[in-house]
Amino acid sequence: MDKMYRKYGITSIKAIEHLVLIIIAIATVVAIGQEIKHIFDVGAVTLADLLLLFIYLEVLAMVSHYAESGKLPIRMPLYIAIVALARYLILDMKAMDDWRIAAISLSTLILAGTVIVIRWGQLKLPYPRRKEDEL
């Protein structure tokens, strides 16, 4: 049973994983195209448009990194979340009350602090290298 799972189960899961990565990449490219079309239709580029394109770029970079290495760096989704919160603040700041602005700002600072702690941990407390990674 264990050999059969290793042969078919893991292979099936990997195939589904790659299929979903391709779907995410295609959907992101379509969203980028829609945003660029929107920019041309309006005839102006706003900061919100640039931040949205940056979010899409980070998603593509995350998919690319995951496809190449098989590992998802936790910092990339944190970067996406920080940019998304900044975009939300920029778009809706006039309609927000002070408490909501403070909460979003605090959330952004917490995410930025998390990125710093994770990066520090990667530099100062790295995982031991596996023999597979050295080959």
Side-chain angles (χ1 to χ4, degrees):
M1 181 71 170
D2 188 46
K3 287 183 182 180
M4 193 167 83
Y5 171 73
R6 287 178 190 248
K7 185 175 182 181
Y8 297 111
I10 293 175
T11 304
S12 299
I13 291 171
K14 287 288 186 184
I16 292 169
E17 179 182 358
H18 290 292
L19 176 67
V20 172
L21 281 174
I22 291 168
I23 291 169
I24 291 170
I26 291 170
T28 305
V29 170
V30 169
I32 290 170
Q34 290 172 343
E35 183 63 22
I36 291 171
K37 181 184 179 308
H38 167 75
I39 290 170
F40 280 112
D41 289 345
V42 171
V45 179
T46 65
L47 183 57
D49 296 328
L50 294 175
L51 290 173
L52 188 58
L53 286 171
F54 184 72
I55 290 171
Y56 293 146
L57 180 66
E58 282 294 318
V59 170
L60 278 179
M62 187 169 55
V63 168
S64 172
H65 187 276
Y66 187 74
E68 287 175 4
S69 70
K71 298 175 185 175
L72 181 65
I74 190 64
R75 288 184 294 147
M76 290 182 120
L78 292 174
Y79 294 146
I80 292 169
I82 290 169
V83 174
L85 286 172
R87 184 175 185 276
Y88 178 57
L89 271 176
I90 290 167
L91 290 178
D92 296 335
M93 186 180 285
K94 292 179 183 176
M96 289 184 199
D97 60 353
D98 294 339
W99 286 107
R100 182 171 297 232
I101 292 172
I104 293 170
S105 300
L106 181 62
S107 299
T108 305
L109 284 173
I110 290 170
L111 288 172
T114 303
V115 169
I116 291 169
V117 168
I118 289 171
R119 185 65 182 137
W120 179 85
Q122 288 174 335
L123 292 174
K124 300 295 182 183
L125 308 167
Y127 285 113
R129 293 203 116 158
R130 296 183 307 187
K131 291 185 180 186
E132 300 166 357
D133 294 339
E134 293 175 0
L135 297 178

